[in-house]
Amino acid sequence: MNFNTISMIGLGYIGLPTAAAFASRKVKVIGVDVNPHAVETINKGQIHIVEPDLDMVVHSAVTEGYLRATLTPEPADAFLIAVPTPFKGDNHEPDLSYIESAAKAIAPVLQKGNLVILESTSPVGATEKMATWLAEARSDLTFPHTHGEESDIRIAHCPERVLPGHVLRELVNNDRVIGGMTPKCSHLAAALYKTFVQGECVITNARTAEMCKLTENSFRDVNIAFANELSIICDKLDINVWELIGLANRHPRVNILQPGPGVGGHCIAVDPWFIVSQTPEEAKIIRTAREVNESKPQWVQAKIQSAVSEYLSKHPEKSASDISIACLGLAFKPNIDDLRESPAVEIASLLNATHPGQVYAVEPNIKALPGRLNQIILSDLEPAINNSQIVVILVKHSDFEKQALQLSRGKIIIDTVGLI
Ligand code: SAJ
């Protein structure tokens, strides 16, 4: 089948680069988003998110007429859905309402022969659920969950697996897992991705593809939890964890990740819970890893509190309100502006609520602080460190690497990322 026009539903961190990748191969792409600001910005050939080189690719796709954004779905040969799947409630249950809304929005324009692909990270069974929502809205069409290979509409789950900051390169080069609801669905979806994917398009079924994405992020979470637990153990035993990991990693079959202030972002800090919420009795290591990583910010806060006490014991004439703290970095990982689920923001927020003295935050990639850091001053590196007695390094931004150590001489330093 020829894909003359494809429609991307959701023009965020994944949807927009994917739409641009298709458009750069001269496929007509209709991008759909509920956010009018995103639609307007894209139609001007600009972007509303931060991702290296994406601005150039979107600009040429729009000016050459291959990419257009709109608020309402229009007919196309294939629909790709890349909307958020956060969790709801206290039990970390996945919230599929964005997928449901997307399915209901495209249902009126679906035509016999169309392919629908779910790219959003999803709990196992979400693709089948999406098929039932589409079928409910279009009783005149047949779908794979009831009509198998004979269905009018083909459906597949093809999870995105790209690393923020390297999205354009990884979209093209990474292997792609293609989970069709039937083999024909898989083959059609693989043919579509071959438009721009140079990695291998590996075919499986929808449930395995859903679990594969959750497995990848849980694997990373478990491994980071191991490093974070080691850092707490080493702190207690007075061992430098960075040196220890460097030494252990010289073993040919050991490859320990890096400890940090916790795990952030909208993927690794979220996706493992989808496995835990579906199989709570069985997912023991995955749950514990989440708990270890989620508790790391409180551990860092306790370290800061001990540093305050240590300072006060040496300066009995002072009180905690005389002590200023500089927090270096707020983003969820180095050299990006994204604060979502950031452990650094959580630590700053704990200080905002509890520390009576001044707290400074240094985050070169943002222009304003989130509202919940209302007592904190956003500052440049040098004045923040000069004005503080305690320096807490929360993100390994390359901007900090040159100066942080020199400026921090004589201060109490809490280095959660091994910068120094
Ligand atoms: N982190 C550590 N120590 C490490 C590595 C990372 O503490 O050794 C922390 C980071 O600082 C950050 C968090 O983990 O707070 C997550 O960062 P990351 O770079 O590991 O991953 P993300 O969230 O940017 O992207 C992940 C990727 N998944 C995997 O590497 C298995 C990416 O390929 C996925 O596409 C993405 O999640 C997603 O969208 O699901």
Side-chain angles (χ1 to χ4, degrees):
M1 178 183 174
N2 270 346
F3 297 100
N4 296 319
T5 306
I6 68 151
S7 181
M8 174 58 70
I9 315 297
L11 296 171
Y13 283 89
I14 300 303
L16 183 55
T18 307
F22 277 109
S24 70
R25 293 294 189 279
K26 307 212 179 305
V27 176
K28 282 225 178 244
V29 182
I30 303 167
V32 183
D33 203 286
V34 291
N35 173 357
H37 167 68
V39 169
E40 273 169 39
T41 311
I42 294 162
N43 283 335
K44 282 190 231 154
Q46 296 163 5
I47 59 173
H48 61 295
I49 53 176
V50 176
E51 179 61 40
D53 302 331
L54 182 63
D55 50 350
M56 289 183 306
V57 187
V58 168
H59 186 261
S60 55
V62 172
T63 48
E64 287 171 23
Y66 287 104
L67 174 62
R68 173 170 63 84
T70 162
L71 291 164
T72 337
E74 297 173 20
D77 300 315
F79 293 85
L80 289 89
I81 297 177
V83 294
T85 39
F87 41 60
K88 57 180 180 193
D90 296 337
N91 288 335
H92 302 101
E93 271 173 43
D95 176 2
L96 300 187
S97 61
Y98 294 86
I99 298 179
E100 186 174 0
S101 303
K104 288 184 173 157
I106 62 168
V109 296
L110 275 189
Q111 293 165 334
K112 188 173 172 165
N114 279 171
L115 168 68
V116 181
I117 295 178
L118 180 62
E119 284 207 358
S120 309
T121 304
S122 300
V124 173
T127 309
E128 289 158 35
K129 200 139 199 177
M130 183 183 76
T132 62
W133 286 321
L134 291 171
E136 275 162 25
R138 290 296 300 269
S139 54
D140 56 322
L141 292 170
T142 60
F143 292 83
H145 63 296
T146 49
H147 288 70
E149 294 292 39
E150 306 311 318
S151 64
D152 293 334
I153 304 293
R154 308 276 178 217
I155 295 181
H157 179 61
C158 307
E160 62 79 14
R161 305 152 91 201
V162 289
L163 194 68
H166 301 273
V167 169
L168 288 175
R169 193 189 68 215
E170 291 210 348
L171 266 180
V172 173
N173 293 336
N174 289 5
D175 290 345
R176 193 95 204 192
V177 174
I178 312 272
M181 286 185 70
T182 67
K184 269 192 193 165
C185 297
S186 297
H187 287 292
L188 199 58
L192 176 65
Y193 282 104
K194 281 280 175 210
T195 310
F196 69 83
V197 172
Q198 284 170 14
E200 201 178 327
C201 290
V202 190
I203 284 174
T204 179
N205 57 45
R207 291 174 77 83
T208 308
E210 288 161 344
M211 189 62 183
C212 186
K213 170 63 194 260
L214 302 180
T215 300
E216 290 158 13
N217 280 353
S218 300
F219 172 85
R220 197 151 167 85
D221 198 43
V222 168
N223 282 280
I224 299 169
F226 181 76
N228 276 333
E229 186 168 292
L230 265 185
S231 74
I232 294 171
I233 294 169
C234 284
D235 185 71
K236 200 155 199 175
L237 299 179
D238 200 19
I239 291 170
N240 179 331
V241 69
W242 316 102
E243 184 193 359
L244 172 82
I245 290 175
L247 292 171
N249 282 351
R250 284 171 177 262
H251 184 288
R253 284 174 298 284
V254 174
N255 188 10
I256 303 169
L257 293 180
Q258 298 299 300
V263 168
H266 49 294
C267 310
I268 295 185
V270 175
D271 302 351
W273 285 120
F274 291 4
I275 298 180
V276 176
S277 90
Q278 272 188 317
T279 50
E281 295 297 318
E282 293 77 12
K284 295 189 183 73
I285 293 177
I286 297 172
R287 178 201 296 273
T288 305
R290 263 303 60 235
E291 288 166 355
V292 167
N293 288 333
E294 280 195 347
S295 64
K296 192 79 191 283
Q298 283 92 323
W299 183 85
V300 174
Q301 189 212 7
K303 292 297 296 174
I304 299 170
Q305 221 126 47
S306 312
V308 170
S309 305
E310 182 193 322
Y311 185 89
L312 289 178
S313 67
K314 288 185 189 146
H315 302 85
E317 74 288 0
K318 298 218 162 152
S319 70
S321 55
D322 300 318
I323 299 179
S324 297
I325 301 173
C327 293
L328 307 196
L330 289 178
F332 89 81
K333 64 179 190 175
N335 306 323
I336 59 166
D337 68 335
D338 195 338
L339 304 187
R340 285 179 293 177
E341 314 288 332
S342 170
V345 172
E346 198 181 329
I347 292 160
S349 171
L350 290 167
L351 292 174
N352 187 78
T354 57
H355 181 62
Q358 186 58 58
V359 178
Y360 298 94
V362 184
E363 180 43 81
N365 301 302
I366 62 168
K367 295 195 171 64
L369 288 175
R372 65 175 161 140
L373 305 184
N374 55 356
Q375 304 294 321
I376 296 183
I377 298 176
L378 183 62
S379 168
D380 286 338
L381 185 67
E382 196 165 341
I385 295 179
N386 285 346
N387 291 331
S388 299
Q389 289 79 26
I390 298 173
V391 177
V392 189
I393 305 172
L394 295 172
V395 187
K396 211 172 179 177
H397 284 316
S398 37
D399 281 10
F400 298 158
E401 279 178 13
K402 289 171 215 113
Q403 287 185 61
L405 174 60
Q406 205 187 354
L407 291 169
S408 307
R409 268 186 228 292
K411 315 274 177 184
I412 299 178
I413 302 172
I414 298 171
D415 182 4
T416 68
V417 291
L419 182 89
I420 288 179

